[in-house]
Amino acid sequence: MRLVRQLSIAICLGICVVLGFNAWLRLGQQRQDYRADVQRDHATIGRALASGVEFVWVREGKDLALQVVEQLNRRENQLTIRWVWGRAGEDLTYRPLRPALVPRAGQKAHSSVIPDKDGMPYMLTYAPVDVPGGRHGAIELYESLAPEQKALRSILVRTILTMGVLLLLCIALTVGFGVLFVARPLGTLTRKAEQIGAGDLDGPLAFTADNEIRDLAYAMNTMSRRLLEARERAEQETQARIRALEQLRHADRLRTVGELASGIAHQLGTPLNVVRARGSMIAAGEVTEARTRELGQVIVGHVDRISETIRQLLDFARREQPRPTSTDLSKVVEQTIALVEPLAHQRRVKLAFTVRSSSARLRIDAAQVHQALINIIVNALHATPEGGKVEVVLDEEREAFVISIRDGGEGIAAEHLPHIFEPFYTTKRAGEGTGLGLPVADGIVREHGGSIEAESQLGAGTVFRVRLPKAA
Ligand SMILES: Nc1ncnc2c1ncn2[C@@H]1O[C@H](COP(=O)(O)OP(=O)(O)OP(=O)(O)O)[C@@H](O)[C@H]1O
Ligand SMILES: [Mg+2]
């Protein structure tokens, strides 16, 4: 509506200016014409009267000539006709209104517009008359121009009325057409633009009127269509990237499983030996019934431990859809420790876990965080020499939980440190490392809105800090 209002105001102003200018020209012309008419009449009357008076003056004498003038004056309503002497001061009765304007002998009749004492204009004409005796007089014609003012006023009123009617008509038309052809279609376009801004690209616009607004609507439709196609393409690409990332993470997980499996297999040897020995005793029938029950319970206990360890490994290896749930972070770290414990044991490295947070509940994808932590802890175990120690601490900050993994290993050289999160960056021998553990862990933590920082000194060990925001 604002545009329509501005348009109406602009058109109305234009009309006012044109009509006003036209009225001003007409008024000027009218005044000029009216005065020219009056002046012409005065000249004609003056000339006729001058020769008539001159004739009577010569034939019948001065008195009759003056009587004729007075007689004529009495008959006229608007026009005042007087006899005046050319030179003032001689006779007050025949003194001219403006002595300076009286023409000299031999000059032509002369008219002027002069204001009266109220400021109203009047036309004053002097027609010279030569009278016997060498004296010199004139016929004075005096006429108020008030009718001219009246005519001008009526023109002004008519112009103002026309202007008013035209303005009303114009406002009605511009508002009507403006709403129909501009405001409404623009409103629709604005809503459509807002929809596009909010991501809703459906519902193309349809305008029938053949104008620029329809062109704009077509352009917006084309833009929406292209955006939709681009969005679909981006979605497909994102899906493909997610699938690739999932595959990469799964491959990384399987490699870790292979590594953990050797430690686990090593650790399963002891309970399996216990089970075998107890089973053999029962099979040989060397034990009493009460002892058999006791041995059976020992066997069940060890088999449960074996199953639990294998289940944990299989759980970790299983490919799962990423899904964040409310999780106790300390449980996730505990499970991680349990899974890497056999590897630590195999490498004769002590693995310690300390929780310094009362409750570490937050919304995360537990399986993924689990994978990220295993990658970092396995690296720490690799770096730590036999008899060394890896410490895992869960801490709480104001807005995040922090898991620190500190090892007493060889550390990372300053020139290597900026590269350790790059894919395929490894310092391990061929076949021992692919350089994917840290990039995968970093990707997972970033997806949770967190970060991993590494601090290391050659020979003094390394600390990795995994920061997961509470409002992830
Ligand atoms: N705790 C650590 N101490 C010393 N160096 C480390 C430590 N953690 C990582 N690194 C260095 O960072 C490199 C990259 O680690 P990353 O886990 O990405 O790959 P990798 O361990 O070499 O191979 P992968 O994990 O794929 O089997 C390692 O090769 C190692 O040089
Ligand atoms: Mg690694």
Side-chain angles (χ1 to χ4, degrees), residues 40-345:
R40 208 177 307 116
D41 290 351
H42 278 206
T44 312
I45 296 168
R47 261 197 316 273
L49 260 174
S51 39
V53 166
E54 203 176 315
F55 181 77
V56 176
W57 195 299
V58 173
R59 287 285 180 90
E60 306 292 337
K62 171 191 169 190
D63 292 342
L64 193 66
L66 293 181
Q67 266 179 32
V68 169
V69 175
E70 268 166 35
Q71 193 67 28
L72 274 169
N73 183 45
R74 248 178 262 129
R75 286 197 192 155
E76 283 294 330
N77 297 334
Q78 296 192 3
L79 187 64
T80 308
I81 304 170
R82 282 175 66 223
W83 167 264
V84 293
W85 287 115
R87 219 176 270 178
E90 285 180 22
D91 186 346
L92 280 181
T93 319
Y94 300 111
R95 189 186 157 82
L97 279 172
R98 291 280 197 279
L101 296 178
V102 180
R104 296 178 189 290
Q107 283 183 335
K108 284 185 171 176
H110 174 79
S111 301
S112 323
V113 177
I114 294 167
D116 67 2
K117 58 182 184 310
D118 299 325
M120 286 297 283
Y122 64 92
M123 178 80 76
L124 183 68
T125 305
Y126 289 104
V129 182
D130 288 328
V131 289
R135 290 194 67 189
H136 155 72
I139 301 292
E140 184 188 75
L141 301 165
Y142 163 81
E143 184 174 355
S144 164
L145 292 177
E148 170 205 71
Q149 300 294 316
K150 226 170 112 186
L152 293 183
R153 249 199 311 279
S154 102
I155 289 176
L156 203 65
V157 169
R158 274 207 305 276
T159 308
I160 288 171
L161 279 179
T162 316
M163 223 188 243
V165 171
L166 256 174
L167 280 182
L168 283 180
L169 200 70
C170 188
I171 289 171
L173 282 177
T174 43
V175 169
F177 282 106
V179 167
L180 201 64
F181 293 116
V182 181
R184 273 202 209 147
L186 277 185
T188 314
L189 284 175
T190 309
R191 278 193 298 281
K192 178 70 184 167
E194 283 166 358
Q195 254 182 19
I196 293 175
D200 178 4
L201 300 173
D202 286 337
L205 292 170
F207 286 114
T208 45
D210 183 11
N211 54 24
E212 285 80 358
I213 290 183
R214 192 187 65 173
D215 297 346
L216 185 58
Y218 279 173
M220 280 179 92
N221 287 344
T222 313
M223 184 180 78
S224 300
R225 208 177 47 244
R226 300 238 166 97
L227 279 174
L228 202 63
E229 285 165 8
R231 192 162 72 182
E232 278 167 11
R233 248 196 329 271
E235 236 157 63
Q236 283 167 3
E237 279 167 16
T238 309
Q239 287 304 325
R241 215 168 294 149
I242 288 173
R243 276 199 300 277
L245 197 64
E246 276 300 302
Q247 276 166 2
L248 183 76
R249 284 182 188 170
H250 189 61
D252 173 67
R253 218 176 305 157
L254 291 183
R255 269 186 312 100
T256 312
V257 167
E259 172 133 25
L260 296 179
S262 80
I264 287 171
H266 189 255
Q267 214 182 28
L268 290 186
T270 315
L272 279 176
N273 282 338
V274 172
V275 170
R276 191 177 188 291
R278 302 295 185 273
S280 307
M281 281 166 77
I282 296 169
E286 297 166 355
V287 285
T288 60
E289 198 180 319
R291 179 87 177 117
T292 307
R293 255 199 306 278
E294 200 182 296
L295 292 178
Q297 276 163 0
V298 172
I299 290 171
V300 168
H302 277 88
V303 169
D304 281 353
R305 257 183 61 201
I306 293 168
S307 315
E308 175 61 19
T309 311
I310 291 173
R311 190 190 56 75
Q312 280 180 352
L313 191 66
L314 291 180
D315 275 356
F316 176 67
R318 196 177 307 126
R319 186 186 199 142
E320 279 183 14
Q321 284 299 315
R323 98 186 97 83
T325 45
S326 172
T327 313
D328 183 351
L329 189 60
S330 63
K331 286 269 172 334
V332 178
V333 185
E334 263 168 29
Q335 283 167 5
T336 310
I337 301 279
L339 206 58
V340 275
E341 182 62 58
L343 181 68
H345 191 261

Side-chain angles (χ1 to χ4, degrees), residues 252 256 336 340 351 368-384 390-392 403-407 420-421 428 436-442 444-445 451-454 462-467:
D252 173 67
T256 312
T336 310
V340 275
L351 190 55
Q368 291 202 351
V369 173
H370 193 39
Q371 181 175 358
L373 293 178
I374 285 184
N375 286 358
I376 298 170
I377 296 175
V378 167
N379 278 348
L381 292 177
H382 282 166
T384 309
V390 171
E391 279 179 283
V392 180
I403 304 149
S404 316
I405 298 110
R406 180 187 297 275
D407 66 59
I420 57 173
F421 291 103
K428 292 174 185 165
L436 283 175
L438 284 182
V440 164
D442 187 50
I444 290 171
V445 174
S451 60
I452 304 179
E453 65 185 48
T462 308
V463 191
F464 278 85
R465 287 192 191 85
V466 178
R467 196 164 266 107

